[in-house]
Amino acid sequence: MLSLVLPKGSLEKATLELFDAADLTVQRASDRDYRASIDDPRIDRVRVLRPQEIPTYLEQGLFDLGITGRDWITETDADVVSLGELKYSKATSNPVRVIMAVPADAPWQRVSDLPEGVRISTEFPALTQRFLEKNGVKARVVPSYGATEAKVPDIVDAIVDLTETGSSLRKNGLRILDTLLTSYTELVANREAYEVPEKRAAMEDIALLLQGVIRARGQVLLKLNVANGGLQGVLDIMPAMSSPTVTPLAGGQMHAVESVVAKRGVNTLIPALRTAGARDILEIPIAKIVD
C-alpha cells in the first residue's frame, strides 16, 4: 500500500533501531543496500536514501511516506505533510541545531557584525541565504559537501552546520554565533497520498507505533505488593503517568500496585518503596506506550 523512504547516513542506525522496536523490522541484504523491505501489509516498498533528497522525493510523489529532518524540509522548502516529530537523533533524543559558527577568536559577536563579502561554507545554502538576507548581511555562500568544520579559517570565514552536542565545534576551535533552526526528525508524507483514506489510516498506524516506542524510552513498569497498612505510604512516593493501579489481592490483607515510572531515578525509588513496606518488587522493561 505505502512506499516508504528512510534516511541513510547519520540517522540510519537510530532509525532502523526505532523501526525494529516498533515491530517494523527493516530487512536488507546488506547495510550498503538501498532497497529494503518490511514484513507488514501496509508497506509494499522501502528505500534507504540520503535525507537531503527525501523531502523533494516525497513532494514529487515518488514515495508516500518518509523520515527526514526538519532542517532538510526547510532547506528544500518542500510541500509535505508532517505526521509529527520523532524525538531522536544520531546520539541522543535531543534536537539538532543548524548553527552559524565562527573561529573562537573572531571579532564578530552577532550576525549583523559580519562584514560584506564574508565567506560562509554550508550544506544548507538556501536556508543560509534566507537567514543572511533577513539579517541584512551580504555574504558569499559556498556549498559544502562534507568536512565543513575543517574549512575554517583557511578556506572560509564561517560555517553554517548541524550540531547536536557542540563537542565537534569546540574541538575545531569554533564558537556558535547564532542558531538558524532547531530540528527534530519528522515522519512526513506526500500530500496527495495523505488525502487517500486507506493510505492515511496506514500512515497514522505507523506513526502510532513509532511514537509508542519513543514514548516508552526511559520508562519502566514497576509492580509490587504491599500490606494494607503500608499502602498509603507506598502511594505517597510512587510516581505515575496518571495514577498507580491498585488491586486488592485474594485474602484481603494485601494490594498489588503497578505504575510506569522513569528509569532514571529507579535506583533510589526501589529502596525507598521497600522501606515504605513494598514487597515482591518487579522492574519490567516497556517496549511501547500508546495513549
Side-chain angles (χ1 to χ4, degrees), residues 270-289:
I270 288 177
L273 289 169
R274 183 71 167 73
T275 300
R279 299 293 183 271
D280 310 321
I281 303 171
L282 301 179
E283 178 186 336
I284 303 171
I286 302 173
K288 300 181 191 70
I289 297 176

Side-chain angles (χ1 to χ4, degrees), residues 203-224:
M203 292 174 185
E204 291 175 347
D205 285 351
I206 292 166
L208 183 75
L209 293 171
L210 297 176
Q211 293 287 8
V213 170
I214 290 173
R215 193 173 181 208
R217 288 177 172 173
Q219 307 288 322
V220 295
L221 177 65
L222 281 188
K223 303 183 71 166
L224 57 88

Side-chain angles (χ1 to χ4, degrees), residues 24-178:
L24 297 167
T25 301
V26 179
Q27 299 171 336
R28 292 189 292 175
S30 75
D31 58 7
R32 295 185 179 182
D33 200 340
Y34 291 90
R35 297 177 182 270
S37 64
I38 295 176
D39 185 15
D40 187 288
R42 294 163 293 197
I43 302 170
D44 61 13
R45 182 165 65 98
V46 183
R47 296 291 183 271
V48 183
L49 300 171
R50 288 166 58 86
Q52 297 93 319
E53 303 167 334
I54 288 176
T56 301
Y57 291 157
L58 287 167
E59 181 182 39
Q60 293 173 350
L62 299 176
F63 297 94
D64 298 320
L65 188 66
I67 287 181
T68 188
R70 173 51 53 177
D71 48 348
W72 294 116
I73 299 169
T74 304
E75 169 66 18
T76 58
D77 199 25
D79 181 19
V80 292
V81 178
S82 176
L83 277 75
E85 294 176 339
L86 299 172
K87 295 188 175 180
Y88 75 96
S89 53
K90 177 181 177 181
T92 70
S93 60
N94 299 323
V96 295
R97 291 182 295 155
V98 181
I99 54 87
M100 178 175 289
V102 298
D105 58 357
W108 316 304
Q109 300 302 316
R110 297 175 299 275
V111 174
S112 58
D113 294 337
L114 294 173
E116 182 173 342
V118 64
R119 300 163 301 165
I120 302 173
S121 179
T122 182
E123 294 184 32
F124 303 94
L127 175 60
T128 300
Q129 194 61 56
R130 291 194 296 266
F131 177 76
L132 293 170
E133 289 172 1
K134 179 181 177 181
N135 286 275
V137 176
K138 295 181 180 180
R140 181 184 174 192
V141 178
V142 182
S144 175
Y145 303 97
T148 306
E149 294 165 337
K151 296 168 184 173
V152 181
D154 300 328
I155 300 173
V156 295
D157 307 301
I159 63 169
V160 170
D161 203 6
L162 285 176
T163 185
E164 188 169 345
T165 65
S167 60
S168 182
L169 293 172
R170 292 188 292 272
K171 187 182 299 183
N172 284 277
L174 299 171
R175 62 177 168 85
I176 296 174
L177 195 64
D178 207 339

